[in-house]
């Protein structure tokens, strides 16, 4: 199992046995005494907190049987607070983040391991690519009934006006790092194209420099197919694609040509796919199951790889790779820490969101 509950403004699903496309809502009242001892609460929201007006992310309170509550708030000063109560047991955590501009997209993870007496609170600033995290002890397990009530937005639940996605998993989910491409995407290797999910460690992939370089690790993660995880479809024959592919919105692809050289004095640049959406060459994908699998390939350096004719980035680890504690909460947790590359430069110049939109407008002109 993994994701047992998903909710956004268009889709709601809950199933203690794992959400899938065929049984969107399944909850027996016999499940009310079941607990989720290990899990993750994932929330996506935009930052709108103002002075003396904290932003409610989520509030749940139930007095059915015994008193239980869960509250997540964010202040204008960048203080994210989490508080859970179960009977006489109260657990609090506080995480301070750099104050983001209003409207910044945030992804919040509350992950707990009650038997292991460990929990983490994480915030990803999706617009500025920043990651914040704190660890605390002695979390309480989440009653399955409470998980159901939160996902179904029951009268006991108050969801913030700027909260877009709420999802619950029965596993500690990985945080950070860009997501990559959806399974079924072909990647060029020295022996020909392979679907990304069929790559093996040591396989040599073709890079934009013309060299074949070995795969050091492949991250694989299942995520809700909603919010900022919803993939974009890059359509052939644009960007030299030989077939359509699906990539995460934060996956960077290489754009070369006269527009890049004229605007930025660079022969080629890297652009997040979400900034290229024009509903012609790139569009948000709509025909999806409840969850999907993303894959990303790690090399010794940051490189551009050939996905069905399009050049897209390999995984960039960056500063997160210097922290053993942080890496342990990501999809690289199973890789020996000493073997993780310390990437210090990008394969190509990176465009900001504004620069990328300027380039996209020029490409459409």
């Amino acid at each position: 199992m993994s994701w047992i509950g998903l909710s956004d403004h268009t889709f709601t699903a809950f199933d203690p046995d794992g959400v899938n496309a065929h049984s969107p809502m399944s909850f027996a009242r016999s499940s009310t005494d079941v607990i989720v001892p290990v899990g993750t609460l994932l929330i996506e929201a935009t930052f709108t907190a103002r002075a003396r007006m904290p932003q409610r992310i989520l509030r749940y309170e139930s007095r059915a049987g015994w008193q239980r509550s869960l509250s997540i708030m964010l202040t204008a000063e960048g203080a994210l607070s989490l508080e859970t109560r179960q009977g006489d047991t109260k657990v609090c955590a506080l995480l301070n983040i750099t104050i983001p501009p209003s409207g910044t997209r945030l992804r919040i993870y509350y992950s707990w391991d009650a038997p292991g007496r460990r929990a983490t609170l994480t915030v990803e600033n999706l617009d500025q690519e920043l990651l914040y995290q704190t660890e605390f002890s002695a979390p309480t397990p989440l009653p399955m009934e409470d998980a159901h009530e939160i996902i179904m937005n029951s009268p006991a639940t108050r969801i913030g006006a700027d909260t877009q996605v709420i999802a619950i998993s029965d596993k500690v989910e990985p945080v950070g790092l860009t997501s990559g491409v959806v399974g079924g995407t072909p990647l060029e290797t020295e022996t020909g194209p392979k679907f990304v999910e069929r790559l093996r460690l040591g396989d040599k992939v073709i890079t934009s420099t013309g060299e074949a370089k070995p795969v050091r690790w492949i991250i694989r993660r299942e995520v809700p197919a909603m919010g900022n995880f919803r993939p974009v479809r890059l359509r052939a024959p644009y960007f030299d694609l030989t077939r359509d592919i699906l990539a995460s919105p934060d996956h960077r692809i290489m754009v070369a040509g006269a527009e890049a050289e004229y605007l930025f004095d660079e022969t080629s640049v890297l652009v997040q796919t979400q900034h290229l959406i024009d509903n012609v060459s790139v569009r948000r994908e709509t025909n999806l199951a409840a969850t999907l699998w993303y894959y990303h390939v790690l090399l010794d350096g940051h490189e551009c790889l050939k996905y069905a004719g399009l050049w897209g980035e390999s995984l960039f680890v960056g500063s997160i790779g210097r922290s053993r504690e942080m890496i342990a909460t990501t999809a690289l947790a199973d890789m020996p820490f000493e073997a993780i590359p310390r990437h210090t430069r990008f394969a190509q110049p990176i465009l900001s969101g504004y620069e990328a939109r300027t380039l996209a407008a020029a490409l459409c002109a």
Side-chain angles (χ1 to χ4, degrees):
M1 292 184 291
S2 181
W3 297 100
I4 59 175
L6 308 172
S7 180
D8 66 4
H9 295 305
T10 62
F11 178 82
T12 298
F14 189 88
D15 190 336
D17 295 323
V19 169
N20 61 65
H22 307 294
S23 58
M25 281 184 281
S26 173
F27 182 70
R29 283 297 154 188
S30 59
S31 300
T32 58
D33 295 330
V34 175
I35 62 170
V36 186
V38 177
T40 299
L41 171 64
L42 180 152
I43 298 173
E44 287 190 352
T46 52
F47 179 75
T48 57
R50 291 181 290 170
R52 296 184 297 277
M53 292 187 65
Q55 179 180 351
R56 175 196 291 148
I57 304 295
L58 174 67
R59 171 73 181 175
Y60 170 76
E61 184 171 13
S62 175
R63 299 180 183 275
W66 49 296
Q67 186 171 2
R68 308 181 304 279
S69 66
L70 185 153
S71 175
I72 301 177
M73 303 286 289
L74 182 58
T75 71
E77 294 72 34
L80 180 76
S81 62
L82 167 76
E83 179 184 294
T84 66
R85 289 178 181 266
Q86 292 186 12
D88 296 329
T89 303
K90 176 181 175 181
V91 178
C92 299
L94 181 66
L95 177 61
N96 290 303
I97 69 173
T98 302
I99 302 172
S102 181
T104 296
R105 298 171 305 144
L106 303 176
R107 184 179 291 141
I108 300 165
Y109 295 83
Y110 164 45
S111 297
W112 66 92
D113 177 356
R117 297 182 61 79
R118 295 183 58 196
T120 56
L121 184 61
T122 305
V123 173
E124 292 181 37
N125 179 325
L126 300 177
D127 292 330
Q128 297 170 303
E129 298 185 57
L130 299 172
L131 188 67
Y132 308 89
Q133 191 172 84
T134 188
E135 184 174 318
F136 55 103
S137 61
T140 53
L142 181 69
M144 187 68 76
E145 183 177 15
D146 293 359
H148 174 264
E149 298 300 284
I150 289 170
I151 291 297
M152 303 308 296
N153 193 14
S154 74
T157 304
R158 297 289 183 269
I159 296 174
D162 299 293
T163 298
Q164 291 91 31
V165 172
I166 299 178
I168 298 175
S169 169
D170 63 0
K171 297 180 181 178
V172 173
E173 297 290 340
V175 305
L177 303 175
T178 53
S179 299
V181 296
V182 174
T185 302
L187 179 58
E188 196 67 32
T189 75
E190 65 175 357
T191 59
K194 280 188 179 181
F195 290 129
V196 64
E197 66 269 28
R198 295 182 181 174
L199 287 175
R200 297 294 180 264
L201 301 186
D203 284 353
K204 289 191 174 181
V205 292
I206 304 302
T207 69
S208 59
T209 64
E211 298 177 82
K213 298 191 176 180
V215 173
R216 296 306 185 195
W217 204 257
I218 303 159
I219 66 171
R220 174 179 181 268
R221 61 187 299 198
E222 184 186 20
V223 299
M226 54 180 53
N228 293 297
F229 279 126
R230 180 176 292 276
V232 300
R233 177 176 290 273
L234 297 135
R235 301 181 63 207
Y238 302 100
F239 307 108
D240 296 323
L241 280 164
T242 58
R243 50 162 287 181
D244 289 8
I245 66 170
L246 296 178
S248 64
D250 58 3
H251 189 63
R252 298 182 181 93
I253 68 170
M254 188 169 74
V255 178
E259 292 84 0
E261 191 158 4
Y262 174 75
L263 290 170
F264 307 108
D265 197 27
E266 299 286 354
T267 56
S268 57
V269 292
L270 286 174
V271 185
Q272 288 188 356
T273 58
Q274 63 188 331
H275 298 312
L276 294 171
I277 293 174
D278 59 5
N279 293 321
V280 178
S281 61
V282 184
R283 63 174 173 80
R284 290 278 186 181
E285 182 65 1
T286 55
N287 185 24
L288 294 166
T291 65
L292 71 154
W293 288 91
Y294 276 123
Y295 298 81
H296 219 337
V297 178
L298 177 66
L299 307 182
D300 288 329
H302 188 241
E303 306 285 351
C304 287
L305 312 177
K306 202 169 191 178
Y307 298 93
L310 170 147
W311 293 103
E313 67 174 341
S314 64
L315 179 65
F316 184 80
V317 178
S319 60
I320 193 175
R322 296 194 290 268
S323 170
R324 186 184 294 269
E325 293 74 19
M326 193 78 80
I327 280 290
T329 64
T330 73
L332 289 175
D334 292 331
M335 185 177 184
F337 181 73
E338 294 74 16
I340 296 174
R342 308 304 193 251
H343 296 157
T344 58
R345 66 171 186 84
F346 289 101
Q348 301 283 343
I350 302 291
L351 295 192
S352 68
Y354 174 77
E355 291 171 332
R357 287 187 287 273
T358 300
L359 176 61
L363 292 172
C364 293

